[in-house]
Amino acid sequence: MATTIAKTESRAGAAPAQAETPLTYQPNVDICDCGAEVLIVADIPGARTDGIDVSFEDGVLSLHARVPARELPGRSLGQEYGCGDYRRSFRLGDDFDASQITATYRHGVLTIHVPRLAAVRPRKVEVRAG
Amino acid sequence: MSLIPFRTKRSSGMEGGNLATLADFRHEMNRLFEGFFSRPTPFTPSWFEATEPGQWMPAIDLSETDTQIRVRAELPGIDPKDVDVSVSGDRLLISGEKKSCTEESGEGWSHCESHYGAFSRAIPLPESVDPAKVTARYDKGVLMVELTKAPSSTSRKVPVLTK
């Protein structure tokens, strides 16, 4: 279990080089190993639900979220964060069930549930008295 | 021959070095700067604006029209009920708490890049505003606050009369 997570972490920063829009940002991500599944929680504020793509191909889980351009009328007094699409990808180990990956989006946070294959899920073995 | 005593920690005024002392120092600096600049810039260094030690601050955008000031803050993953927006004098205060979902599941994060816990940010406003006309809206992790400038501060064209 620990090996797989380490692999995920070490490659978490490998964002794809190609970008469709001039500004692409790598969202902040939290990863939680919950045993039966791994949660990937990404902050993508401003993204619309219909503009989020989560895909899995060749062992790489990719997320791409389109963010509509900001409409702030008047003159800007300062901007602390840029506005552009979010992109990030993660290489998964072999013990995940790619067909069962699900994602939810709420309050600007994308949560991707990546379940483990049933065969490799941690299982507690009951010890019976002999 | 006179001996010059070493300054003790107590007399140096910097004893302790703990958070409380730092907070006092920052408070004093805030007071100094507020008095020094009668109209503070909207983007003073971030540590002037945090109100409590250990809190994180959301990133903001600030813009203005002739009648309004708009503040946009990135607050992903926060329940709108946990956000407080208030106007005090010429400052807008945005505070609240981002709760970690690990509190619900009881699991630990193996990798964490986001901020959790209490956040607070006091934003100096470029002009005085009408506290009764402030609206705040939270959508898709972004907080938008619209403030209406006080009538006295809105610009008015003064006609030049001739004799």
Side-chain angles (χ1 to χ4, degrees), chain B residues 6 18 21 24-25 32 47 51 54-55 59 76-78 97 105 107 114 142 149:
Chain B
F6 283 109
N18 54 18
T21 312
D24 290 345
F25 171 70
L32 270 172
W47 57 277
T51 47
Q55 293 185 337
I78 291 169
E97 185 180 2
S105 64
E107 303 286 344
S114 301
V142 177
K149 292 180 183 176

Side-chain angles (χ1 to χ4, degrees), chain A residues 9 29-30 70 77 81, chain B residues 61-62 72 110 113 116 121:
Chain A
E9 276 185 3
V29 163
D30 297 343
R70 254 179 308 207
L77 298 175
Y81 58 92
Chain B
D61 277 1
L62 195 62
R72 190 178 184 275
S110 20
E113 296 172 353
Y116 289 100
R121 182 150 188 185

Side-chain angles (χ1 to χ4, degrees), chain B residues 10-32:
Chain B
R10 186 171 296 278
S11 64
S12 68
M14 292 295 284
E15 69 269 33
N18 54 18
L19 272 178
T21 312
L22 267 177
D24 290 345
F25 171 70
R26 192 174 56 196
H27 185 264
E28 184 64 17
M29 290 298 283
N30 280 344
R31 197 185 58 77
L32 270 172

Side-chain angles (χ1 to χ4, degrees), chain A residues 2 5 12 17 19 26 29 31 33-34 42 47-48 50-52 59-60 62 74 81-82 89 93 98 103 106 109-110:
Chain A
I5 285 301
Q26 183 170 287
V29 163
I31 298 172
D33 186 353
C34 303
R48 285 169 42 172
D50 56 5
I52 301 172
V60 176
S62 305
Y81 58 92
S89 59
R106 186 168 185 260
V109 176
L110 178 72

Side-chain angles (χ1 to χ4, degrees), chain B residues 121-161:
Chain B
R121 182 150 188 185
I123 302 151
L125 298 170
E127 290 183 42
S128 57
V129 296
D130 186 348
K133 293 180 181 170
V134 180
T135 58
R137 188 164 45 86
Y138 183 82
D139 185 34
K140 296 188 284 288
V142 177
L143 178 74
M144 176 76 87
V145 183
E146 292 186 346
L147 308 105
T148 304
K149 292 180 183 176
S152 58
S153 69
T154 51
S155 59
R156 189 171 69 88
K157 190 171 173 60
V158 178
V160 179
L161 304 173

Side-chain angles (χ1 to χ4, degrees), chain A residues 16-17 26 35-36 38 46 48 52 56 59-60 64 68-69 73 75 80 83 88-89 92 104 108 115 122 128:
Chain A
Q26 183 170 287
V38 167
R48 285 169 42 172
I52 301 172
F56 182 80
V60 176
H64 175 209
R75 56 191 173 277
E80 289 184 344
C83 194
R88 195 149 179 184
S89 59
L92 302 180
T104 56
R128 286 178 292 188

